Amino acid sequence: WRQVVWGRHLVLFGGQWGRESLADTWLLDTVLGGWRQVAESQPMPTGGRARATALVAGDVLLVCGGESPHPTEHGACVRWGDLWSLDLKAPSKLGWVRVHGGHATGCVLPTRTLEPSLALLHAGRTLLVFGGPEADPALVR
């Protein structure tokens, strides 16, 4: 799973349980105690995510990259090069939103990214995605 801080909450996203990659999101209130699952709404990041990276920008959770088990090839993984956002104040309103890449939108992401580093630049207007291990072509489809 990936964890980030949002105000007085610890936010957990995804992770892996055996061969299953998870796509659930949980909030821990660090003042009052207690966990709360964020309402699951579609679409969710495809296939769940293990080894993704997360960042909070204001009230928005950003999840980038990661991997999930390949649906038909045992032992292989699908590695993702996408970016998803979730409004933590109103997660049921829009649900997860896939931020599309490409030069036309000004959003260019590394492909098949595992555990990249994320940083916000220019007063939160620019997201820098960098690093992460290279994919093993034998395991990536």
Side-chain angles (χ1 to χ4, degrees):
W1 68 83
R2 284 294 156 224
Q3 66 280 349
V4 293
V5 173
W6 174 55
R8 68 184 207 193
H9 295 91
L10 178 67
V11 183
L12 296 181
F13 170 79
Q16 191 166 352
W17 184 263
R19 279 218 14 95
E20 179 185 0
S21 290
L22 308 173
D24 50 346
T25 307
W26 291 82
L27 298 177
L28 170 64
D29 188 319
T30 60
V31 175
L32 300 177
W35 289 94
R36 174 174 65 94
Q37 186 171 13
V38 174
E40 294 183 16
S41 52
Q42 298 295 328
M44 294 180 76
T46 309
R49 296 298 159 94
R51 301 180 69 190
T53 298
L55 174 88
V56 171
D59 294 320
V60 176
L61 174 65
L62 299 172
V63 173
C64 181
E67 68 181 358
S68 57
H70 194 281
T72 60
E73 296 183 33
H74 183 71
C77 292
V78 177
R79 293 191 178 179
W80 302 97
D82 54 2
L83 178 68
W84 291 80
S85 68
L86 178 67
D87 183 340
L88 292 169
K89 277 195 166 183
S92 298
K93 185 175 180 182
L94 293 176
W96 285 97
V97 175
R98 185 169 190 266
V99 179
H100 296 282
H103 293 283
T105 62
C107 178
V108 180
L109 294 173
T111 59
R112 301 178 181 163
T113 307
L114 292 179
E115 301 173 342
S117 295
L118 302 178
L120 285 175
L121 307 172
H122 306 115
R125 294 187 317 270
T126 303
L127 176 67
L128 177 64
V129 181
F130 60 98
E134 289 193 35
D136 177 353
L139 297 177
V140 177
R141 305 282 184 254

